[in-house]
Amino acid sequence: MPASIAARPEQPRHDKYDRLIAAAQSLPRLRVAVVHPCDAASLGAALEAAELGLIEPILVGPPAKIATAAAAAKLDISAVRQVNAAHSHDAAEKAVALVRCGEADALMKGALHTDELMSAVVARDTGLRTARRISHCFVMDVPSHPEALIITDAAINIAPSLEDKCHIVQNAIDLAHALKFEEPRVAILSAMETVNPSVPSTIEAAALCKMADRGQITGGIVDGPLALDNAIDLGSAAIKHIRSPVAGRANILVVPDLEAGNMLAKSLTFLAGADAAGIVVGARVPIILTSRADSKTTRLASCAVASLLADAQRAAAKAVEV
């Protein structure tokens, strides 16, 4: 055996995801409209989640293409409900319609571009908008880190405004509560931990902290600007003499823009062996975003996150009714 292979460390178990999946298995199956599942990765992910009791999939797409993908991957879809759609755009629209008429509780991205799916989700008259800005969260399981990390927004909002970031922060806090985080601690990230008029992200970080002080953001502790090191490492925070309940202990990382978030998440994935379960929040229902490159554990964890979030949303809706 080559030395390089022999020396490769064994991949650590992702116990944080295991706990998420176990928690979701205690809930009723989530009815998920799987949009255009016309490849082995998306179709297999839906069926694997169904086998574990996480979801009840509804396959929305061209029947012939779904059947071809199932046959190629040797998957049995005979017992799974299907909804005929002509193409990917039609599948997205029909999946959204299933949610609107109460036949589905969540969406799951299949073999189509994220933009195609989100176009149907944000359609003004027929979509799934709420008063919130829709945003994306990665729930990261980093083997060397003691707890899960939420990174937002790394997939939807390219250059969010201050108002957008207020929604992004609140969406992430609400997700953290759904995932039973004991205390959502939000770090507004920048390249530095001091407010610098020449660096707009530090100004926005300070504004977001004041918005939290004034009750415009609720449910979590918000601090920033913080650099990544002093946001997640107590030693780094101590060296910089930062006294904060968030510094060194953040479990929600709010990035300045999509580029920074995407690079941070992928750095953790490819350099630190992390998995990144993806979920879109802020719509009427959770939207599961999986990638063909995702591991089986990541795909299942994304479904578990959606199930836990949907359960929290149902509980909140009932509380409002009472």
Side-chain angles (χ1 to χ4, degrees), residues 68-112:
T68 298
K74 298 180 179 179
L75 299 170
D76 181 8
I77 59 172
S78 58
V80 183
R81 179 185 173 188
Q82 294 190 47
V83 173
N84 188 355
H87 43 70
S88 56
H89 286 284
D90 189 38
E93 291 171 2
K94 287 183 174 175
V96 167
L98 287 173
V99 171
R100 288 178 64 92
C101 72
E103 295 184 36
D105 306 309
L107 300 177
M108 183 175 184
K109 176 180 174 287
L112 77 169

Side-chain angles (χ1 to χ4, degrees), residues 62 112 133 160 165 211 240 248:
L112 77 169
R133 178 79 178 182
K165 287 183 179 180
M211 293 169 84
K240 293 289 183 74

Side-chain angles (χ1 to χ4, degrees), residues 286-308:
I287 302 168
I288 303 162
L289 286 188
T290 57
S291 165
R292 284 174 294 179
D294 286 342
S295 67
K296 175 182 176 180
T297 301
T298 300
R299 293 194 298 265
L300 295 176
S302 298
C303 293
V305 168
S307 180
L308 292 165

